[in-house]
Amino acid sequence: MIKRFDNIKLSIFRPESDLIKVAARSLGAPVRYFRILKKSLDARDKGNIVWVYSVACSSEEECVRAPLLEKIPTDKKVVIVGSGPAGLMCALRLVDRGFMPLIVERGQKVEERRRTVSEFFNGRVLDPQSNVQFGEGGAGTFSDGKLNTQTRDGFNRDVLDYFVRFGAPEEIAYLNKPHIGSDRLYDVLRNIRAHITACGGRFAFDTVAQGLDVRNGKLAGLKLKNVRTGAEDLVSCDAAVFAVGHSARDTFMMLHREGVAMDSRDFAVGVRIEHLAADISFAQYGKSFASLPAADYKLVSHAHERTVFTFCMCPGGVVVPAASEEGGVVVNGMSLYARDGVNSNSALMVQMKRSDFGSDDLFAGMRFQREIERRAFKAGGESYRAPAMTYGDFAADRLSCAFGGVRPTYAAGVAYAPLSEVLPQVAVQALKAAIPDMDKKLKGFASRDAVMTGAETRFSSPVRILRDASRMSVSLEGLYPCGEGSGYSGGITSSAADGIRTAEAIFDRFKS
């Protein structure tokens, strides 16, 4: 019989293999089955930092199999628009249920996309159709593959199991703050694609949905266009999942023209802030930091009337160019699996309100984001370099002319420029109040050498495609908004779980 043991503490200086000995003592017998269920770091006492585990073990050989999902023989045609976490997980669940979906993706497959993104990083040549935002894997492909989430969705475990099944490190299934790493995601995505196609699914890369075919009030098909050749096609479908992420602005406008019900949303804008990874780790762990993985953090400040918070923290990572439109600069963050870079960075975001950009116009928030991105492009010299400055100069309202101990990692290069001319003034004032406040919680966060790079504008979608309890559009039968573009999730795990739930809704609709 399998038994579970919780709150097992292990010194950071002891090998993880010692857990087997602990389990044997608890069982009073040799261990023949062993599995780590959860692993987290307790650093509250910097003089005694420990790993805390929950494990399952048995003195007998055990064979634990995942339950098989019910499949249905079906000729129902499902099209999924977008191959980010929501779209891919939706596709995986559908093929496991017996469907053979068509996945439509405006960007390239990951092999080609990686080359295109590298050209942008190194040569500042932007492909508006395939970049950090668009392409196989979505924006998460180039943002570390962080899988920690605040949601309690029952499908979160399924998301982790799918990633492990297709090549992600097994530890993501039990780490408190799991991540795959942008370098490991490359092979995971290729394995997912191979499985879907082996099950009869198809991919149409370099392809956008430019219109809907609606008949008798129901979605009957999608009008597709190849962005490279211009070739157009009309594909019929019984259901279409729109998992387009937060940056498919032209798709949002197309859906609005087609009469799909949508609403505007609040969102956040800000910058990327970089510190030395060693300084963050020392602040979090003390003298033991060299024996531990690069430290992360999560901070919130209410020192200003606008909430300021960190998001998408990348230990040992870099700041990456994330523009998807010509003439705009957008920043994001990324770590590789090892998280061994010199710097650590995170998004430092200020909550915006619809009153900041106008609540009467559905796309006012989208234009508000775009205007910030264009100001960042201009401030950086109109070459996709990003405006950057030290925190010391930002606080003192002066232009930076040199960087100190922290060097910017933004791959396309930076230009000394005042962020006060890029961000809304309410965001500038909120950041000035929040950074010293956050320093009270994380010593060194307000280091004068910290580098601030702008602009971070793609925290979330500025619009929501409205859906009902069946996860279908409130205005069009057969259309399923899903993931970040639906406005009902944020981040890789919650979006992926939303994709699985949407697949289950489609399965329930057609199984009888």
Side-chain angles (χ1 to χ4, degrees):
M1 184 175 68
I2 297 175
K3 293 185 177 180
R4 175 176 176 141
F5 298 99
D6 297 311
N7 202 36
I8 299 174
K9 297 181 180 179
L10 202 66
S11 167
I12 60 174
F13 302 108
R14 290 178 64 184
E16 195 166 75
S17 58
D18 282 359
L19 283 174
I20 302 290
K21 301 175 184 177
V22 176
R25 287 198 300 268
S26 300
L27 284 173
V31 175
R32 298 188 182 279
Y33 170 83
F34 179 83
R35 182 184 179 190
I36 298 174
L37 301 176
K38 187 176 180 180
K39 177 182 178 181
S40 59
L41 189 67
D42 185 347
R44 290 174 294 180
D45 180 357
K46 291 185 174 62
N48 183 34
I49 300 176
V50 294
W51 290 107
V52 183
Y53 296 85
S54 293
V55 303
C57 55
S58 175
S59 58
E60 303 174 357
E61 296 285 351
E62 301 283 352
C63 184
V64 180
R65 292 188 176 93
L68 294 176
L69 294 172
E70 177 189 357
K71 287 190 175 184
I72 57 172
T74 180
D75 59 357
K76 297 297 184 181
K77 298 178 182 178
V78 181
V79 179
I80 299 171
V81 183
S83 68
L88 287 179
M89 288 295 166
C90 183
L92 282 173
R93 193 54 149 232
L94 285 173
V95 298
D96 282 352
R97 288 295 198 181
F99 293 80
M100 292 184 287
L102 167 65
I103 300 94
V104 174
E105 170 56 55
R106 73 189 308 145
Q108 299 164 312
K109 62 180 65 176
V110 71
E111 299 94 329
E112 299 165 358
R113 183 187 183 197
R114 190 160 69 168
R115 290 192 294 271
T116 300
V117 167
S118 180
E119 290 174 2
F120 181 46
F121 285 7
N122 298 320
R124 300 194 292 277
V125 178
L126 175 67
D127 184 336
Q129 304 298 342
S130 189
N131 43 65
V132 167
Q133 305 295 346
F134 303 139
E136 189 174 22
T141 303
F142 296 97
S143 64
D144 189 82
K146 287 177 287 294
L147 302 177
N148 48 299
T149 178
Q150 299 299 308
T151 67
R152 298 292 181 182
D153 194 301
F155 286 116
N156 288 348
R157 169 56 58 180
D158 296 61
V159 171
L160 299 177
D161 289 344
Y162 272 126
F163 276 123
V164 171
R165 176 179 166 186
F166 293 104
E170 291 189 10
E171 66 194 30
I172 70 168
Y174 57 78
L175 282 175
N176 184 45
K177 296 179 180 179
H179 87 112
I180 300 175
S182 294
D183 47 339
R184 296 285 187 95
L185 271 168
Y186 176 78
D187 288 327
V188 173
L189 291 170
R190 295 199 303 170
N191 292 339
I192 289 174
R193 188 201 324 144
H195 174 74
I196 291 171
T197 55
C199 293
R202 295 178 295 131
F203 285 80
F205 292 104
D206 299 318
T207 301
V208 295
Q210 63 173 359
L212 309 179
D213 181 18
V214 179
R215 301 179 187 180
N216 300 319
K218 298 180 181 180
L219 182 66
L222 298 182
K223 301 171 185 177
L224 306 181
K225 180 178 181 179
N226 186 291
V227 299
R228 307 295 174 185
T229 67
E232 297 182 353
D233 191 16
L234 176 63
V235 297
S236 62
C237 64
D238 299 287
V241 178
F242 273 76
V244 297
H246 50 47
S247 295
R249 293 167 173 170
D250 56 344
T251 303
F252 293 141
M253 295 180 74
M254 178 275 289
L255 292 173
H256 180 60
R257 289 194 304 269
E258 296 281 5
V260 176
M262 305 170 73
D263 194 8
S264 60
R265 301 178 64 215
D266 293 346
F267 52 88
V269 300
V271 298
R272 280 276 155 178
I273 186 165
E274 294 189 83
H275 303 83
L276 293 177
D279 289 348
I280 296 297
S281 291
F282 180 78
Q284 294 287 58
Y285 303 144
K287 296 179 181 179
S288 300
F289 80 90
S291 302
L292 292 163
D296 65 358
Y297 57 77
K298 184 177 181 180
L299 302 170
V300 178
S301 172
H302 301 286
H304 187 270
E305 64 178 11
R306 297 297 178 90
T307 300
V308 180
F309 57 95
T310 62
F311 174 77
C312 186
M313 196 273 159
C314 300
V318 296
V319 179
V320 299
S324 60
E325 293 183 346
E326 293 178 342
V329 163
V330 181
V331 298
N332 198 358
M334 180 182 82
S335 294
L336 301 181
Y337 175 72
R339 288 181 164 176
D340 57 359
V342 174
N343 287 3
S344 290
N345 74 81
S346 74
L348 187 58
M349 309 301 294
V350 181
Q351 193 66 47
M352 295 286 105
K353 301 179 180 179
R354 274 175 281 188
S355 58
D356 294 320
F357 47 82
S359 57
D360 296 333
D361 183 346
L362 177 63
F363 296 117
M366 190 172 73
R367 286 192 290 272
F368 181 80
Q369 291 175 328
R370 181 179 285 143
E371 180 58 29
I372 295 172
E373 295 162 12
R374 288 176 174 172
R375 289 201 297 264
F377 181 73
K378 182 178 180 180
E382 300 185 341
S383 62
Y384 295 106
R385 290 185 174 89
M389 60 195 310
T390 65
Y391 165 66
D393 291 329
F394 176 77
D397 291 317
R398 62 174 175 252
L399 181 67
S400 290
C401 58
F403 294 109
V406 183
R407 311 294 296 181
T409 59
Y410 182 82
V414 300
Y416 298 122
L419 292 170
S420 60
E421 295 182 4
V422 173
L423 299 173
Q425 283 307 300
V426 66
V428 172
Q429 296 308 315
L431 290 173
K432 287 183 177 180
I435 294 174
D437 186 48
M438 291 177 170
D439 190 77
K440 298 173 185 176
K441 305 165 189 173
L442 181 62
K443 190 65 176 176
F445 192 79
S447 166
R448 300 182 66 80
D449 285 351
V451 173
M452 301 170 66
T453 309
E456 175 98 24
T457 54
R458 307 293 179 89
F459 166 71
S460 62
S461 173
V463 297
R464 173 184 287 120
I465 308 170
L466 301 179
R467 69 187 185 192
D468 59 23
S470 70
R471 313 186 78 78
M472 198 184 299
S473 165
V474 299
S475 59
L476 182 57
E477 183 177 343
L479 190 148
Y480 291 82
C482 181
E484 288 201 26
S486 71
Y488 297 96
S489 67
I492 291 176
T493 302
S494 62
S495 295
D498 199 56
I500 296 174
R501 281 196 178 278
T502 301
E504 291 295 324
I506 294 172
F507 169 75
D508 289 340
R509 179 186 172 197
F510 293 128
K511 71 177 180 179
S512 56

